Amino acid sequence: MPYSVKIMPNSDLLNLRGPHVVTLVYDGLCTFEFGVAYEIFGLPRPEMGDDWYRFSACAIEDGPLRAAGGLTVQVDRGLDVLAEADLIIVPGWRGIGTVVPAPLVAELQAASRRGARVMSLCSGVAVLAASGLLAGRKATTHWRYVDSIAERYPDITVDADVLYVDENSVLTAAGSAAAIDLCLHVVRGDFGPDVANSVARRLVVPPHREGGQAQYIEAPVLKQREGARLGPLLEWMRERLQEELPISALAERAGMSTRTFQRRFEATTGLSPGEWLLTERLKRARDLLEKQAAISLDDVAVASGFGSLATMRHHFREKLAVSPSDYRKRFAILRPAGSVPSQLR
């Protein structure tokens, strides 16, 4: 049988006077995102005084409700509590294309009209989008859902390269861990950097992470059209990332005119030849930084085709919003001493 969890108001928080944070609970609840919201806004913090956040959970439908991890959840409050909220948090939703209940949409719209902030974590952006709260605004979500949200809601500017977006009354976070970043951002805005830093220390996380989620996105997958014809050329190019590869030479090798080659290359890969080469060089550099901790950054720049560390650093900053050295610190895998990649042998 699934484990049952009953969420009730914390008696330690009843005398608090701070902003009232209400987090939605639903059938199919994303437990991690709910836990992040509770950890930051609902955990008793007597050292913060009486002006700290008040926290409530809100069941959007009749329970008991299933949650990730084999839990069932019972909540004492329903949609009525949204009328008291200063900040409403939507954890990752149960499906990007799953219908959002009309009563919830109406309550979120009413709360927004009266000035409450509404915040989504990860795929919770689908609820805000369905409620019309993101129309004409900028937003983010996990990179896996960016295309789906952009297609369903063309009036939303979806940014896949950031950890969170703050549009004042409407806030959105990228992936699940970015929920922590956004929640700490809210604390920083409400109570100042010293308090946010204190909460971050309790969580054992950095108070602010550099870069965006581009550094976590997997390399794009080759489209199949024209793949059989251009596939061997792409492998040939991968083996020569350290060389100058002008489009005219690539087109000649493919047996096409330059214009035809550019058109078919983009149809196959989704990128221009220059963009594809940059993507592959970044991929090679990331792989070396992750797996070869003993190799200098200068050697990584040469082996991946950037030529110089300055050039590699520029492209890392521009595309991944992080420096090569910081990327290595986050993702490096320890290897035996003396291990050298084949590219440098």
Side-chain angles (χ1 to χ4, degrees), residues 135-340:
R137 296 178 184 265
K138 182 180 175 182
T140 192
T141 185
H142 192 287
W143 55 266
R144 290 178 57 199
Y145 309 129
V146 166
D147 290 343
S148 179
I149 291 294
E151 290 172 5
R152 292 172 183 271
Y153 303 98
D155 55 350
I156 301 173
T157 302
V158 187
D159 189 344
D161 294 332
V162 295
L163 296 176
Y164 57 82
V165 172
D166 182 347
E167 287 273 287
N168 297 315
S169 61
V170 183
L171 306 91
T172 52
S176 297
I180 300 174
D181 297 290
L182 180 54
C183 289
L184 287 173
H185 169 76
V186 170
V187 173
R188 189 178 302 111
D190 289 347
F191 292 94
D194 290 343
V195 172
N197 292 348
S198 175
V199 174
R201 282 194 295 271
R202 285 274 299 271
L203 291 166
V204 197
V205 297
H208 179 74
R209 284 195 293 167
E210 295 293 334
Q213 62 173 328
Q215 58 193 296
Y216 304 97
I217 299 175
E218 297 172 356
V221 177
L222 177 67
K223 295 180 181 178
Q224 293 304 309
R225 190 194 315 174
E226 293 280 354
R229 183 172 184 180
L230 288 180
L233 176 65
L234 297 180
E235 288 304 315
W236 183 86
M237 293 168 67
R238 285 192 183 98
E239 294 171 359
R240 292 163 177 80
L241 292 179
Q242 298 170 330
E243 302 177 14
E244 291 290 333
L245 298 173
I247 292 178
S248 57
L250 296 174
E252 182 179 356
R253 186 173 184 84
M256 305 177 191
S257 69
T258 300
R259 180 175 297 179
T260 298
F261 172 75
Q262 288 179 302
R263 185 177 67 252
R264 292 186 176 177
F265 192 99
E266 188 161 348
T268 302
T269 66
L271 300 169
S272 70
E275 291 170 335
W276 186 89
L277 280 169
L278 176 57
T279 299
E280 288 297 316
R281 285 167 175 155
L282 283 170
K283 181 181 176 183
R284 173 76 57 79
R286 291 166 67 175
D287 187 63
L288 292 173
L289 291 170
E290 291 172 16
K291 299 176 182 178
Q292 302 294 336
I295 298 173
S296 72
L297 294 179
D298 290 299
D299 285 343
V300 170
V302 172
S304 55
F306 288 110
S308 71
L309 177 56
T311 300
M312 182 172 73
R313 185 181 291 118
H314 166 76
H315 287 298
F316 263 71
R317 285 288 188 188
E318 186 175 68
K319 295 296 184 181
L320 306 180
V322 67
S323 70
S325 58
D326 284 343
Y327 185 91
R328 169 172 272 172
K329 290 176 185 176
R330 296 177 192 183
F331 296 103
I333 301 172
L334 295 179
R335 296 278 171 171
S339 177
V340 178

Side-chain angles (χ1 to χ4, degrees), residues 19-78:
H20 190 179
V21 178
V22 178
T23 302
L24 303 186
V25 178
Y26 51 86
D27 192 52
L29 176 68
C30 291
T31 309
F32 181 87
E33 285 93 333
F34 179 87
V36 168
Y38 174 77
E39 181 76 20
I40 293 180
F41 299 110
L43 198 68
R45 298 182 189 275
E47 72 278 11
M48 299 300 182
D50 294 340
D51 291 329
W52 190 245
Y53 298 101
R54 295 167 288 154
F55 182 89
S56 298
C58 164
I60 71 168
E61 53 204 344
D62 293 336
L65 307 171
R66 294 169 297 175
L71 305 176
T72 59
V73 180
Q74 293 178 297
V75 183
D76 279 0
R77 301 295 300 270

Side-chain angles (χ1 to χ4, degrees), residues 92-153:
W93 188 234
R94 51 195 171 201
I96 290 295
T98 303
V99 174
V100 180
L104 174 59
V105 169
E107 290 292 342
L108 291 176
Q109 292 173 341
S112 181
R113 284 194 298 268
R114 65 174 173 76
R117 291 175 290 177
V118 184
M119 182 166 81
S120 67
L121 308 178
C122 196
S123 57
V125 71
V127 175
L128 272 57
S131 300
L133 301 182
L134 291 173
R137 296 178 184 265
K138 182 180 175 182
T140 192
T141 185
H142 192 287
W143 55 266
R144 290 178 57 199
Y145 309 129
V146 166
D147 290 343
S148 179
I149 291 294
E151 290 172 5
R152 292 172 183 271
Y153 303 98

